[in-house]
Amino acid sequence: DPLEPAGSRALLGALAGTKKIEGETEETEQLISICAGLPIALCVCAGWLKGRRTHTVSRLIAGMLDERERLCGLSSLGDLSVEAVFDYAYASLAHKTALIYRRLGIHPGPDLRADHAAILADLSLPEAADELERLADAHMLEPLDVDRYRFHDLVRLHAGGCAERDDGDREVAICRLVDWFSERLKAADRAVTPDRLRLATEPDSPAPAPAHFDRPSAAFFWFESERANVIELLRATRDRELYRQGWEMAEALWPFYSNRKHYLEWIEAMEIGVSCARACAEREAEGRMRACLARPFIELRKFDRAREELSKAEIAVADSKNMRLRGSIREFVGVCDVNEGDYDSAVVAFTQARALFVSFGGVRGVAIQDYQIGRALLRKGELDRAAETLEVALESMRALGDEMFVGRTLLRLGQARRAAGKRKAAKAAIDEAVEILARMGLPLEEAQAYEELALIAQQEMRQDEAVALRRRAYVIYRGMGHPRAAELSAS
């Protein structure tokens, strides 16, 4: 918000040095008027003033007048405004720093790093890092933490305007950034689940070192740190008609949204994936994206919308020879059946999906269908069959080294054992599941595990512990925006 004149003078003095403004009282008042008391404009002025001994307030105002006359034909002090501050600051930048500044103005995300700047400006990483520091010293960028910055909204608008006016290569630059993020998303996706259904083309050459993730948790950490940028880059693919990059990015986002449950973003990302796949007439990709879009609607219990997407998905892949894709969509139909309470139909759908995976030797797909069949039998109340099927799935997942599904399968096996009255065995399975689910960052299943442990505690007359466990589950559900939070609150 704008500062009063006294506050404006204090800010200028604190940042530029009181000696810079003491001898130019009238000029300082003019500068404060030009800046309209806005702290960001005053900070940019202070950044210029403190640079050299010869940088004075009167020289700054004269420079702004000259720059505005060059750009707009305006030459009186009354014509100057906040925009004149940014124009003159930009004109004062060295060539490479000015390039970084305007290229950052086309960055669609809310924050940025040196590697983003390097890609946009086609510079080395050390060069980009140095230029970001220079912009931060000039108060044209705000440091957030180590190697992460953001623009003030007014400065972002100005930088974008400079790119529109001065930079004919801006679209090439944004395409480079989209491709860079797409490669890293694919690398992160492979780090989380090396063997899963993917329709996207593999990169021609291995991604550079920063894209390598040595463990799933590193990939999840990167995703969470870049989430806001990723969704903006995904929107940019649609808006700039980069359709293939759009659906490939959306596909690579699947393990992150399906595990972290950012529902509104998840839905939007998959909708963009559908629209991009349709725009480039890739029917298999459309079917895949529609099935992925159905999943958050299933979890949010919006079954009509989920069924609509699944129906369109199956139509889109009806002639596909990709058995893994068709099996995956059948699995999603079964997931919808389970969540709607139609367990017999779910078992049929999962069994059909399992047969499709068997047909081409998809070991992980078979194991997942065993897990899904066991889950459906558990919900149906066939506890012995459920436990037997889940034990087979657990053995397969342990052999595959798929920790995420090991955690999920242990949870379901624990639920089957608890329902069968085998509380000790149930607690052992669920305790192991909680450790894995929390470590892997799977909040939905972690919350479900706490609910199961609460039931066991309640059955064993440990009421305080049961209440505490339900509270932990509630906090997770509430943080996800999951409807189960309201149910627990009401109970």
Side-chain angles (χ1 to χ4, degrees), residues 178-179 182 185 233-238 241-253 269-277 280 289:
V178 167
D179 288 342
S182 181
L185 270 176
L233 262 294
L234 188 58
R235 291 167 183 153
T237 64
R238 175 197 58 204
E241 300 183 0
L242 304 172
Y243 296 130
R244 183 167 191 88
Q245 293 98 317
W247 74 255
E248 288 192 357
M249 284 180 69
E251 182 187 45
L253 281 166
M270 298 305 113
E271 285 178 334
I272 291 173
V274 170
S275 66
C276 287
C280 53
M289 290 292 92

Side-chain angles (χ1 to χ4, degrees), residues 174-184 233 242 245 249:
I174 198 68
C175 287
R176 276 202 308 269
L177 188 65
V178 167
D179 288 342
W180 185 87
F181 263 96
S182 181
E183 287 182 10
R184 274 142 190 79
L233 262 294
L242 304 172
Q245 293 98 317
M249 284 180 69

Side-chain angles (χ1 to χ4, degrees), residues 199-449:
L199 302 182
T201 54
E202 292 295 317
D204 294 333
S205 58
H212 290 165
F213 303 98
D214 58 358
R215 58 196 183 283
S217 58
F220 278 115
F221 178 82
W222 177 85
F223 166 71
E224 290 294 346
S225 70
E226 294 284 16
R227 240 180 74 208
N229 288 318
V230 165
I231 193 68
E232 289 295 346
L233 262 294
L234 188 58
R235 291 167 183 153
T237 64
R238 175 197 58 204
D239 298 342
R240 287 174 160 81
E241 300 183 0
L242 304 172
Y243 296 130
R244 183 167 191 88
Q245 293 98 317
W247 74 255
E248 288 192 357
M249 284 180 69
E251 182 187 45
L253 281 166
W254 168 257
F256 303 104
Y257 284 129
S258 65
N259 286 307
R260 291 301 172 89
K261 312 299 182 185
H262 305 296
Y263 285 109
L264 293 179
E265 281 180 28
W266 186 4
I267 290 168
E268 182 184 3
M270 298 305 113
E271 285 178 334
I272 291 173
V274 170
S275 66
C276 287
R278 292 193 67 195
C280 53
E282 300 207 29
R283 295 288 282 166
E284 288 188 345
E286 180 189 345
R288 173 67 169 155
M289 290 292 92
R290 287 194 182 281
C292 291
L293 174 57
R295 190 60 178 265
F297 287 122
I298 292 169
E299 294 189 12
L300 293 172
R301 302 177 189 178
K302 298 181 179 181
F303 297 117
D304 289 346
R305 179 66 190 278
R307 293 286 184 192
E308 177 186 350
E309 294 300 333
L310 289 169
S311 176
K312 290 178 179 178
E314 294 208 291
I315 292 170
V317 304
D319 298 326
S320 173
K321 301 297 190 292
N322 189 331
M323 296 298 105
R324 194 173 194 177
L325 172 60
R326 291 172 61 183
S328 175
I329 295 174
R330 273 278 88 194
E331 177 192 344
F332 281 32
V333 171
V335 171
C336 194
D337 289 333
V338 166
N339 282 270
E340 282 200 276
D342 189 350
Y343 306 124
D344 289 332
S345 294
V347 170
V348 170
F350 293 139
T351 302
Q352 291 169 339
R354 190 182 192 281
L356 288 167
F357 284 105
V358 167
S359 72
F360 67 89
V363 176
R364 183 172 179 274
V366 171
I368 289 175
Q369 302 322 304
D370 286 337
Y371 162 80
Q372 298 286 24
I373 291 167
R375 192 165 72 96
L377 292 170
L378 169 62
R379 296 283 288 273
K380 189 181 177 184
E382 296 188 21
L383 303 179
D384 290 340
R385 283 183 63 199
E388 289 173 8
T389 308
L390 289 166
E391 283 165 358
V392 170
L394 180 60
E395 183 179 355
S396 299
M397 288 301 178
R398 288 196 194 277
L400 289 165
D402 191 326
E403 276 203 288
M404 285 193 296
F405 263 98
V406 168
R408 287 174 171 141
T409 308
L410 281 165
L411 168 60
R412 305 309 170 196
L413 183 57
Q415 288 174 323
R417 289 171 176 171
R418 180 199 58 77
K422 302 173 183 178
R423 290 198 296 268
K424 185 176 180 180
K427 188 174 186 305
I430 298 170
D431 282 341
E432 184 183 355
V434 165
E435 188 277 324
I436 295 171
L437 296 168
R439 174 163 45 83
M440 297 298 292
L442 306 179
L444 179 63
E445 288 89 350
E446 183 186 355
Q448 291 171 347

Side-chain angles (χ1 to χ4, degrees), residues 80-136:
L80 294 182
S81 65
V82 171
E83 188 178 5
V85 173
F86 302 141
D87 281 338
Y88 186 62
Y90 169 63
S92 302
L93 297 174
H95 173 75
K96 196 181 293 184
T97 315
L99 171 65
I100 284 275
Y101 176 74
R102 62 178 179 266
R103 289 286 171 83
L104 295 180
I106 63 173
H107 189 305
D111 57 32
L112 50 99
R113 294 164 27 118
D115 43 11
H116 306 175
I119 294 298
L120 282 167
D122 201 15
L123 298 173
S124 71
L125 189 59
E127 285 179 305
D130 287 345
E131 298 306 330
L132 292 180
E133 284 296 312
R134 290 187 178 94
L135 288 171

